[in-house]
């Protein structure tokens, strides 16, 4: 199973204004755009044909930022991406699919953007590539308006990329 090292307590700074939180719609959109960039950078780790449910989820996430699809559409696309993850056997590809699922789920709950980045890092680690280089890529693609929010949330949650023994030995 994929285990992530994040705190279960929600960071209130990621609660949208329409739900009584401080997160503006613009910053919410920036978070989903960033999550998509994180995902798209690791999508090539899927060695077989990429399931269209994953590419569709990314498209829906981007359309949400343009107000062309609903949060419900994004949630459904997220469920589809997680279904793909549950059908896969390669731990690298599972992590990529989960990253996609969290990226599009950012429309529903903005802190899913952090999980999208985390699963992208996990896929990199499982592939034997540099987590540090990937983290730098992720940080470089943060827009100025969300940099402090994301970096401080990551530090507060002490996010660590964990790989189980089963994942280490399965289908690299």
């Amino acid at each position: 199973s994929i285990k992530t090292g994040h705190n279960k307590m929600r960071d209130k700074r990621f609660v949208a204004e329409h739900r009584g939180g401080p997160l503006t719609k613009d910053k919410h959109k920036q978070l989903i755009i960033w999550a998509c960039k994180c995902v798209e950078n690791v999508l090539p780790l899927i060695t077989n044909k990429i399931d269209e449910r994953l590419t569709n989820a990314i498209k829906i996430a981007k359309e949400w930022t343009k107000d062309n699809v609903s949060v419900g559409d994004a949630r459904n696309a997220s469920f589809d991406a997680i279904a793909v993850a549950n059908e896969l056997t390669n731990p690298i590809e599972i992590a990529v699919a989960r990253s996609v699922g969290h990226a599009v789920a950012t429309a529903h709950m903005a802190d899913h953007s952090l999980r999208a980045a985390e699963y992208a890092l996990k896929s990199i680690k499982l592939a034997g590539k540099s987590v540090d280089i990937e983290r730098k890529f992720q940080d470089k693609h943060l827009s100025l308006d969300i940099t402090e929010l994301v970096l401080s949330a990551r530090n507060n949650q002490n996010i660590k990329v964990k790989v189980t023994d089963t994942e280490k030995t399965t289908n690299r």
Side-chain angles (χ1 to χ4, degrees), residues 51 53-54 76-88 97-98 101:
D51 190 297
R53 291 172 290 179
L54 297 179
N76 290 337
S78 175
F79 294 142
D80 287 346
I82 297 306
V84 171
N86 291 336
E87 294 165 11
L88 294 167
R98 290 194 183 283

Side-chain angles (χ1 to χ4, degrees), residues 38-93:
C38 293
V39 165
E40 289 172 327
N41 199 48
V42 298
L43 211 52
L45 294 176
I46 295 179
T47 54
N48 298 317
K49 184 177 183 291
I50 297 171
D51 190 297
E52 68 182 30
R53 291 172 290 179
L54 297 179
T55 54
N56 184 56
I58 295 167
K59 286 178 193 168
I60 289 193
K62 290 178 178 180
E63 287 299 307
W64 181 83
T65 68
K66 301 171 190 170
D67 299 320
N68 291 336
V69 297
S70 70
V71 169
D73 294 331
R75 281 188 74 217
N76 290 337
S78 175
F79 294 142
D80 287 346
I82 297 306
V84 171
N86 291 336
E87 294 165 11
L88 294 167
T89 57
N90 179 317
I92 298 166
E93 295 180 356

Side-chain angles (χ1 to χ4, degrees), residues 12-142:
K12 303 293 187 222
R13 298 173 302 160
F14 285 85
V15 177
E17 283 180 329
H18 73 275
R19 294 187 179 266
L23 188 70
T24 65
K25 181 79 169 190
D26 184 56
K27 286 184 181 180
H28 198 158
K29 289 178 178 182
Q30 290 177 49
L31 285 166
I32 204 168
I33 290 166
W34 172 71
C36 287
K37 287 179 183 174
C38 293
V39 165
E40 289 172 327
N41 199 48
V42 298
L43 211 52
L45 294 176
I46 295 179
T47 54
N48 298 317
K49 184 177 183 291
I50 297 171
D51 190 297
E52 68 182 30
R53 291 172 290 179
L54 297 179
T55 54
N56 184 56
I58 295 167
K59 286 178 193 168
I60 289 193
K62 290 178 178 180
E63 287 299 307
W64 181 83
T65 68
K66 301 171 190 170
D67 299 320
N68 291 336
V69 297
S70 70
V71 169
D73 294 331
R75 281 188 74 217
N76 290 337
S78 175
F79 294 142
D80 287 346
I82 297 306
V84 171
N86 291 336
E87 294 165 11
L88 294 167
T89 57
N90 179 317
I92 298 166
E93 295 180 356
I94 291 168
V96 172
R98 290 194 183 283
S99 182
V100 172
H102 282 286
V104 69
T106 301
H108 173 61
M109 292 174 66
D111 51 359
H112 277 285
S113 60
L114 300 172
R115 303 291 77 77
E118 186 177 342
Y119 274 107
L121 290 171
K122 183 169 191 146
S123 69
I124 289 292
K125 186 170 187 171
L126 286 165
K129 298 181 181 289
S130 171
V131 171
D132 290 337
I133 290 172
E134 184 65 18
R135 176 73 82 191
K136 286 176 184 162
F137 170 86
Q138 291 180 355
D139 292 353
K140 177 181 162 198
H141 286 86
L142 285 164

